[in-house]
Amino acid sequence: MAAVVERYQPGRFKFAVPHYRSDYGRAMMESLRAYGIEPHRVIPISCARSTQFRNAWAVTPIWSDRSPHPSALDVMRGAVRLIQHMPGRERIALMRRDRPTRTIVNGSEVEAALTAAGFVLTDATGLPFVEQVRMFQSATTIFGVLGSGLTGLIYSPNGVNVVAVAPSGWGDDFFYGIARQRNAKWAEVRGQSHWNKTDGLLRDAPFEVPLRSLHEALETLQ
């Protein structure tokens, strides 16, 4: 929403945003700056108390059919302040090494298979926002666990290939919606979940990636 407002009313507004003392908060500030919203135009709001403004504008939602509106995504791609980057021929694998959710149980085998297929293994966690954007811009094929790590598909080239892996019995079509808007070729691999009903949600449980299915998905996207 901030990117859309800044696109059509550049420099006019300050933005009130939640204040987080975490990597998430840092990434949020980096992303706002990438859209031309400098720190002096950001008003950090404490989540622990109520705040009133004498004069404020609200922004209507940018969502359409469970995913951001295509025009909003076009603004995000066009407004982010980066040096022009031409897509390469890179195959990127987004690994969730330091995340406690949806861990790949046979991760070492999966990484070996991806390396053999020419993928560059990386973990976007901790990368500056603009570096994450550049990574997605340069990728022609992206492997990732179904989840927030695939949000960067917004910045991917038109026609990008995507291999998404996830535990059986759980799905989230938000990321597929983004991929469709990039005319992506999508392959989804499901594996057995190691979910214990006493250990949180099904979507967060460790799971296995069947290697045969993974190889078939990669061959489909050749």
Side-chain angles (χ1 to χ4, degrees), residues 89-93 111-121 141 218:
R89 296 293 304 172
E90 295 186 58
R91 310 184 94 190
I92 303 296
E111 291 189 8
L114 292 170
T115 300
F119 279 80
V120 177
L121 307 183
T141 303
L218 296 176

Side-chain angles (χ1 to χ4, degrees), residues 115-210:
T115 300
F119 279 80
V120 177
L121 307 183
T122 185
D123 189 341
T125 304
L127 283 180
F129 174 76
V130 293
E131 294 302 322
Q132 294 187 43
V133 172
R134 287 193 178 102
M135 180 177 64
F136 277 93
Q137 284 181 328
S138 68
T140 56
T141 303
I142 295 172
F143 167 93
V145 174
L146 193 63
S148 59
L150 292 177
T151 308
L153 289 171
I154 292 170
Y155 307 99
S156 294
N158 191 56
V160 63
N161 296 321
V162 182
V163 179
V165 297
S168 298
W170 176 79
D172 189 330
D173 58 5
F174 170 81
F175 307 98
Y176 178 67
I178 294 176
R180 286 188 62 189
Q181 293 180 22
R182 301 309 297 143
N183 296 309
K185 191 174 182 180
W186 179 278
E188 199 163 300
V189 178
R190 295 286 177 162
Q192 180 181 358
S193 172
H194 288 218
W195 181 49
N196 185 327
K197 293 183 179 180
T198 61
D199 294 334
L201 302 174
L202 169 62
R203 68 182 185 186
D204 295 335
F207 69 102
E208 295 183 33
V209 174

